[in-house]
Amino acid sequence: MKPDPQRRDLIATAFLTRFGAPPTVWCRAPGRVDLMGSHTDYNLGAVLTLPIGRDTWIAARPNHSNEVKLHSLNLGTDAAFSLDVSEKPAVPAWIDYVHGVAVALQEEGLPLAGFDGVVHSSVPLSSGLSSSAALECAAATVFEALGDWTIAPVLKARLCQRAENRFVGVNCGILDQFTSCMGQEGCALLLDCRDLSSRAVAIASGISVVICDTKSKRELAGSEYGERRVECETGAGLLGASCLREVTPAAFDARESELPASVAKRCRFIIEEHARVYALATALTTGERPAIGRLTAASFDGACHLYQIAAPPMLSMMAAMLAAPGVIGARQAGAGFGGCMVAFVETGFIDEFAAAVWTHYSAATGTQPEIYPVTAAAGAGLI
Ligand code: ADP
Ligand code: MG
């Protein structure tokens, strides 16, 4: 992990000002962008995911108490909780993500120490790049360092997911936490959410991944996400399967007409998107540009018409991305409903691509987007 002296100074100064002594432990965990596989994780399908260089840092120092006291530099606020309390407070707060991790680790019988900490993230919050998982996985890594035990990264990911599901109350799949804990520098991961196996996928040289942030905020805990999950479960149940992953395209084609129309659309998207994950992994490795363009276009088309997770800013961004020089393919990212999107771009054209998308999107929407390339970063660990 390359040190970033300016960021380190910023955090160290804030820490000293607030807590009167320097931090003793530094941990980080990355955000992620899904390259293919929208909403496939909770259907136990496959996802092609990229841990990104944008990450969350926590600088910490044990405080010899049962309190965890944190300051978020992103929000400019302090928050605290007691390790003796396992219930979620009545008023939701950002520190619930960390409190939930503490509860999940304690349920595993792991001893935890209280600490003072400063949090700083370069993952944009609530934009679909998973700042929540980055916060959870960085926090779990602090507890691990201070508690003098280690757990396997896959278990860490599952416990962080449990924190978000049960404590925070967001019914997310395993994708975000798995990517943040299991990331490897330099390659994407093809994750199988049924057995939590993964393999590294190299992206052919000359192809860059570029984030295009619509700057329209989305709420993952919102009703739409939960509704999609219920529709998928309903579809799987009506097809006699435990989850949509178990339904083959041929079996689905044969019985699609038995399903209520909206459930059928959701199921078709997931079943097709799962297959596209493997196809895109191959196309990215071999560098087959036409296949990348075709697969990403089909994914976005399904997101619009079948899964219906596209918001108007996403349509404007898609038009801007597809019209820009050097584009190979583009699609939605995260849960949809706004936030970030992702493009594959010829590496030599990144600057021209970014300038053209910026101009096109700002003219169309009146909102200034943020556009930047990302590369694959290592998973959660000490800095
Ligand atoms: P995403 O994970 O896509 O960024 P979520 O809605 O799942 O969006 O999580 C965002 C929430 O996570 C924020 O509203 C905040 O509560 C919490 N969070 C993440 N990173 C930080 C941070 N650095 N400081 C404070 N809160 C954070
Ligand atoms: Mg999240």
Side-chain angles (χ1 to χ4, degrees), residues 32 97 126 128-134 136 164 170 172 176-177 218 220:
R32 62 98 191 93
Y97 291 89
S126 307
L129 299 184
S130 203
S131 69
S132 60
E136 291 151 7
E164 189 151 342
V170 176
C172 59
D176 303 352
Q177 293 81 7
R218 38 145 283 275
L220 189 58

Side-chain angles (χ1 to χ4, degrees), residues 3 13 69 111 178 201 243 248 256 268 276 284 305 344 352:
T13 304
K69 297 179 189 159
F178 186 95
V201 172
C243 61
T248 63
E256 184 177 9
R268 174 166 288 287
R276 279 191 289 266
L284 280 178
H305 302 111
F344 297 101
E352 286 113 306

Side-chain angles (χ1 to χ4, degrees), residues 32 56 72-75 77 93-95 97 119-121 123-135 164 170 176 218-221:
R32 62 98 191 93
T56 297
S72 165
L73 282 168
N74 298 88
L75 300 180
T77 55
W94 64 271
I95 202 170
Y97 291 89
V119 179
H120 180 262
S121 189
V123 185
L125 271 56
S126 307
S127 300
L129 299 184
S130 203
S131 69
S132 60
L135 177 58
E164 189 151 342
V170 176
D176 303 352
R218 38 145 283 275
E219 275 306 325
L220 189 58

Side-chain angles (χ1 to χ4, degrees), residues 42-378:
Y42 55 79
N43 288 295
L44 304 191
V47 196
L48 188 62
T49 174
L50 191 79
I52 59 176
R54 297 238 172 175
D55 56 9
T56 297
W57 288 18
I58 303 179
R61 181 183 180 92
N63 59 19
H64 310 290
S65 79
N66 271 356
E67 293 278 306
V68 173
K69 297 179 189 159
L70 293 178
H71 177 75
S72 165
L73 282 168
N74 298 88
L75 300 180
T77 55
D78 297 308
F81 67 89
S82 165
L83 292 170
D84 300 328
V85 174
S86 58
E87 292 81 40
K88 187 182 172 176
V91 181
W94 64 271
I95 202 170
D96 296 348
Y97 291 89
V98 179
H99 193 169
V101 168
V103 170
L105 294 169
Q106 284 176 320
E107 283 169 357
E108 285 299 295
L110 297 162
L112 305 188
F115 68 90
D116 299 335
V118 169
V119 179
H120 180 262
S121 189
S122 58
V123 185
L125 271 56
S126 307
S127 300
L129 299 184
S130 203
S131 69
S132 60
L135 177 58
E136 291 151 7
C137 299
T141 307
V142 172
F143 283 122
E144 186 177 33
L146 299 180
D148 210 20
W149 41 260
T150 55
I151 50 173
V154 174
L155 177 59
K156 193 188 283 182
R158 286 179 45 219
L159 295 174
C160 288
Q161 182 200 12
R162 190 200 288 175
E164 189 151 342
N165 291 167
R166 293 197 201 156
F167 197 89
V168 179
V170 176
N171 204 11
C172 59
I174 189 72
L175 168 65
D176 303 352
Q177 293 81 7
F178 186 95
T179 313
S180 191
C181 288
M182 298 291 290
Q184 297 176 29
E185 208 169 334
C187 52
L189 292 175
L190 200 166
L191 161 63
D192 184 329
C193 298
R194 184 168 59 184
D195 62 7
L196 296 190
S197 62
S198 65
R199 70 174 166 86
V201 172
I203 300 178
S205 71
I207 298 177
S208 289
V209 177
V210 179
I211 301 294
C212 297
D213 189 342
T214 64
K215 293 282 178 175
S216 62
K217 291 287 176 205
R218 38 145 283 275
E219 275 306 325
L220 189 58
S223 57
E224 298 275 3
Y225 185 87
E227 282 169 23
R228 295 298 180 283
R229 273 196 84 139
V230 170
E231 287 171 314
C232 290
E233 282 159 19
T234 303
L238 290 171
L239 294 168
S242 59
C243 61
L244 288 180
R245 165 61 181 276
E246 306 300 339
V247 182
T248 63
F252 180 72
D253 287 344
R255 297 191 51 194
E256 184 177 9
S257 59
E258 296 168 31
L259 302 177
S262 80
V263 170
K265 284 199 286 190
R266 309 303 187 231
C267 295
R268 174 166 288 287
F269 175 76
I270 296 298
I271 291 165
E272 292 178 352
E273 184 81 347
H274 170 73
R276 279 191 289 266
V277 169
Y278 296 96
L280 186 71
T282 304
L284 280 178
T285 300
T286 54
E288 272 171 82
R289 271 86 172 154
I292 296 168
R294 210 169 47 243
L295 290 162
T296 49
S299 179
F300 187 68
D301 189 60
C304 292
H305 302 111
L306 297 176
Y307 221 64
Q308 296 178 297
I309 52 172
M314 293 169 63
L315 302 179
S316 302
M317 183 59 86
M318 189 69 180
M321 294 189 292
L322 291 181
V327 69
I328 299 166
R331 64 184 285 281
Q332 71 281 3
F337 305 110
C340 290
M341 299 184 72
V342 61
F344 297 101
V345 178
E346 300 291 355
T347 301
F349 279 84
I350 291 176
D351 292 343
E352 286 113 306
F353 173 86
V357 171
W358 196 93
T359 306
H360 188 144
Y361 181 83
S362 353
T365 63
T367 301
Q368 300 184 354
E370 209 182 331
I371 298 144
Y372 47 90
V374 286
T375 52

